[in-house]
Amino acid sequence: MADSLEQRPFDNFRVAITDPPYFFGRNELLEKVKHSPFQVRILLGGRRIGKTSLLRAIEWNLLNLNTHSNQSSDINNNSEWIEKLFPTFYKIFKHQAKASNNTQETSVRDISPAFPVFISLQVEQPKDLDSFRYLLIARLREAINRWRQIPGAELRQMYQQFLRQVVGGEVTVSFLTAINVKLNVNNPDHERKLNHEDFRQALLKTIKELQELHFEGVCFLLDGSEFIISQAWANDAWSYLRGLKDTDTALKPFIGLLLSGYRNLKDYQQAVGSPLLNIAEVGWLTTLDTLEIRELILQRSQFEEISLTEEQIQLVIEWAGGHPYLTQQMLNMIFDDFRKNKSRSLENIKLELLRQHDRDFSAWWNDTQRSYSFSEHERKVYHALIHNHQGSIETLVEQTRLSYGEVADSLDVLIGTGIILRKNDDIYTIGSLVFADWVAQQ
């Protein structure tokens, strides 16, 4: 790698991962979605824990089901440069390919392929339910159009080509016109909307088209779904999505929903209708485990062409606590120091990390303007863990004088933010030592 920091991908590892060799962990959830993509799932997690990266990984994994036969041959044909540049990725792929040789036909029969559609609601910000319906169809049609333009390729090449395809809104308008749907257009550039009947007709038609492409249905990956709960039409949206998966017999077997967000997504109480939460599988995204972090560090070291000592690796594991963002930024600092021939003491490293992340940590800890900031209960539970190094729900109830439910809910949020760890079903410990030091200084 050249000396320029600008050549590090993903804005110096500050934004979502969209390249398979750079993504680590989350294998259990990836497999669950791959094998049952038409369920409703709500994925919760704190800021920078990796929700968007995971949704992108689900996207390329679901797309890759239909290119699996090409992936092995293409990677083997380019094995020399892939193994050199991304040895960890190549090693994992070769191991998985070998393990699947005898079971591939059975595995394919067990999977119901879903076509993934990634939508960032924080970016799109639909204005009402009709606009939201139009958005779902528009992004689905655009994704299908991009997919059609990609020749058979190995996973990494396929996904990069998929993301690079540029498709205009005329694709959606042309499709809707072809099926005799009249758009409700006040402003042709911004106010395209669909009522229920037109949306349903467009979706049924598109699912039939997907089945001709060997996908059974569609899985909508709705990133930043907490945007909806801040809108006046939130009740209508949740009830509508619930209806699609609960009562519409023609659609429900062929639609999957994965919504990402923070705790306010889970805590939202609908004023009317049956909550979407009642039919959803809800889970918190947590830190990476030690093996996954070691694989990430190895990949970064190989890319930077800088070897780390075991002491440095252990330092990153302990101080970042498995938090993917903190791990990446700590590695950036270590690699930058190496290139500058700069030597730091452990105390200086810690002080620099505290300085770099002061804004992030302040927003996590106590910023009433941020939806992802901790509550008084969560701060109280975290303080008790700092004081005692570890604890169970029962011991934390005694120390904080909170109820069992309040402590359990607080622990869920702290784990999902990536700053504490669950050692087993009963014991919780501090995760990132850098964040713990920052809190101790407040």
Side-chain angles (χ1 to χ4, degrees):
M1 173 186 165
D3 288 346
S4 173
L5 297 183
E6 294 180 0
Q7 293 199 21
R8 285 186 183 137
F10 317 114
D11 190 19
N12 221 13
F13 293 96
R14 293 189 181 93
V15 298
I17 303 298
T18 56
D19 195 356
Y22 293 94
F23 184 84
F24 294 89
R26 319 304 193 192
N27 293 327
E28 183 178 349
L29 184 54
L30 286 171
E31 286 299 310
K32 287 175 69 175
V33 175
K34 188 164 65 175
H35 284 82
S36 54
F38 302 118
Q39 292 187 10
V40 180
R41 292 182 170 90
I42 295 177
L43 177 67
L44 305 173
R47 188 167 179 263
R48 298 189 183 277
I49 195 66
K51 299 186 298 297
T52 304
S53 295
L54 176 57
L55 263 61
R56 287 299 193 181
I58 291 170
E59 182 180 37
W60 75 59
N61 270 273
L62 291 180
L63 289 174
N64 191 50
L65 289 176
N66 271 28
T67 61
H68 183 83
S69 59
N70 294 324
Q71 181 183 353
S72 178
S73 60
D74 284 351
I75 285 190
N76 287 329
N77 291 338
N78 298 282
S79 61
E80 184 175 349
W81 73 265
I82 293 177
E83 184 175 13
K84 181 178 179 181
L85 188 57
F86 299 108
T88 303
F89 171 71
Y90 182 78
K91 180 180 178 182
I92 292 172
F93 169 79
K94 294 297 288 184
H95 174 75
Q96 291 175 339
K98 182 178 179 180
S100 65
N101 279 342
N102 297 326
T103 60
Q104 185 172 334
E105 288 188 13
T106 302
S107 297
V108 170
R109 285 197 299 268
D110 289 343
I111 294 175
S112 300
F115 187 82
V117 183
F118 176 90
I119 299 174
S120 172
L121 291 171
Q122 297 287 358
V123 172
E124 303 282 1
Q125 299 198 358
K127 296 181 178 180
D128 51 37
L129 181 56
D130 286 349
S131 300
F132 179 53
R133 282 189 284 248
Y134 180 86
L135 177 66
L136 294 178
I137 292 297
R139 297 299 171 260
L140 171 57
R141 297 303 312 180
E142 291 163 8
I144 292 173
N145 192 272
R146 293 200 308 271
W147 176 250
R148 288 183 180 278
Q149 298 178 40
I150 300 172
E154 54 87 16
L155 169 61
R156 187 169 185 242
Q157 180 186 0
M158 173 275 295
Y159 191 62
Q160 294 307 302
Q161 290 178 347
F162 178 79
L163 292 180
R164 284 196 297 267
Q165 297 296 323
V166 177
V167 179
E170 66 275 4
V171 169
T172 306
V173 176
S174 298
F175 165 73
L176 294 173
T177 301
I179 62 172
N180 299 316
V181 169
K182 294 182 179 180
L183 287 174
N184 178 7
V185 180
N186 298 322
N187 179 333
D189 293 327
H190 302 290
E191 296 293 339
R192 289 168 177 167
K193 302 182 179 186
L194 286 176
N195 61 33
H196 167 66
E197 289 303 323
D198 290 341
F199 170 80
R200 188 173 184 276
Q201 179 185 352
L203 192 52
L204 285 169
K205 177 73 173 177
T206 303
I207 288 172
K208 184 177 179 180
E209 183 178 331
L210 284 173
Q211 290 170 348
E212 294 172 357
L213 294 171
H214 308 294
F215 292 96
E216 289 195 15
V218 58
C219 181
F220 289 104
L221 308 173
L222 304 180
D223 196 28
S225 295
E226 64 267 29
F227 166 79
I228 292 181
I229 67 176
S230 66
Q231 305 302 304
W233 47 278
N235 280 334
D236 295 336
W238 293 146
S239 296
Y240 188 75
L241 293 176
R242 167 75 187 243
L244 290 179
K245 285 300 298 177
D246 209 27
T247 59
D248 195 321
T249 56
L251 283 174
K252 69 179 184 180
F254 309 111
I255 299 176
L257 297 168
L258 198 161
L259 300 85
S260 76
Y262 196 43
R263 55 150 170 247
N264 45 354
L265 187 62
K266 176 178 72 74
D267 295 340
Y268 178 73
Q269 298 294 320
Q270 280 184 253
V272 295
S274 300
L276 184 67
L277 190 67
N278 286 0
I279 62 169
E281 177 183 307
V282 182
W284 283 90
L285 198 60
T286 61
T287 56
L288 301 179
D289 64 32
T290 300
L291 177 60
E292 293 161 351
I293 289 294
R294 283 185 174 274
E295 290 175 347
L296 185 157
I297 293 171
L298 176 61
Q299 195 270 359
R300 285 291 310 273
S301 296
Q302 291 163 340
F303 181 77
E304 302 271 349
E305 298 179 351
I306 297 173
S307 297
L308 300 187
T309 66
E310 177 59 30
E311 180 183 13
Q312 289 172 317
I313 292 173
Q314 197 60 40
L315 189 71
V316 172
I317 291 172
E318 292 177 359
W319 285 20
H323 193 290
Y325 171 71
L326 296 180
T327 299
Q328 296 280 21
Q329 298 312 306
M330 189 170 178
L331 288 172
N332 285 348
M333 189 178 74
I334 293 173
F335 293 138
D336 290 348
D337 284 351
F338 183 90
R339 295 188 184 285
K340 298 172 185 175
N341 294 316
K342 185 175 183 178
S343 178
R344 295 180 191 260
S345 67
L346 292 181
E347 182 63 21
N348 186 264
I349 291 175
K350 182 177 71 174
L351 291 174
E352 180 60 20
L353 287 169
L354 291 172
R355 185 191 69 81
Q356 286 184 5
H357 296 295
D358 181 69
R359 181 175 296 181
D360 287 323
F361 292 166
S362 295
W364 290 351
W365 186 245
N366 189 15
D367 185 342
T368 56
Q369 302 302 313
R370 309 281 186 177
S371 63
Y372 52 82
S373 187
F374 297 148
S375 69
E376 180 181 353
H377 288 169
E378 290 146 12
R379 292 193 296 272
K380 186 177 289 189
V381 169
Y382 189 79
H383 271 304
L385 281 174
I386 288 181
H387 185 264
N388 296 284
H389 305 295
Q390 66 177 30
S392 64
I393 296 179
E394 289 78 9
T395 60
L396 290 168
V397 166
E398 295 177 6
Q399 294 156 10
T400 61
R401 308 226 177 235
L402 298 173
S403 71
Y404 185 96
E406 290 168 338
V407 170
D409 288 344
S410 296
L411 289 170
D412 281 345
V413 172
L414 295 172
I415 290 172
T417 306
I419 60 166
I420 71 169
L421 307 173
R422 180 187 285 134
K423 292 185 66 175
N424 53 47
D425 289 340
D426 300 319
I427 302 300
Y428 301 82
T429 65
I430 293 297
S432 167
L433 296 184
V434 174
F435 182 73
D437 279 354
W438 183 91
V439 171
Q441 295 177 19
Q442 302 310 300

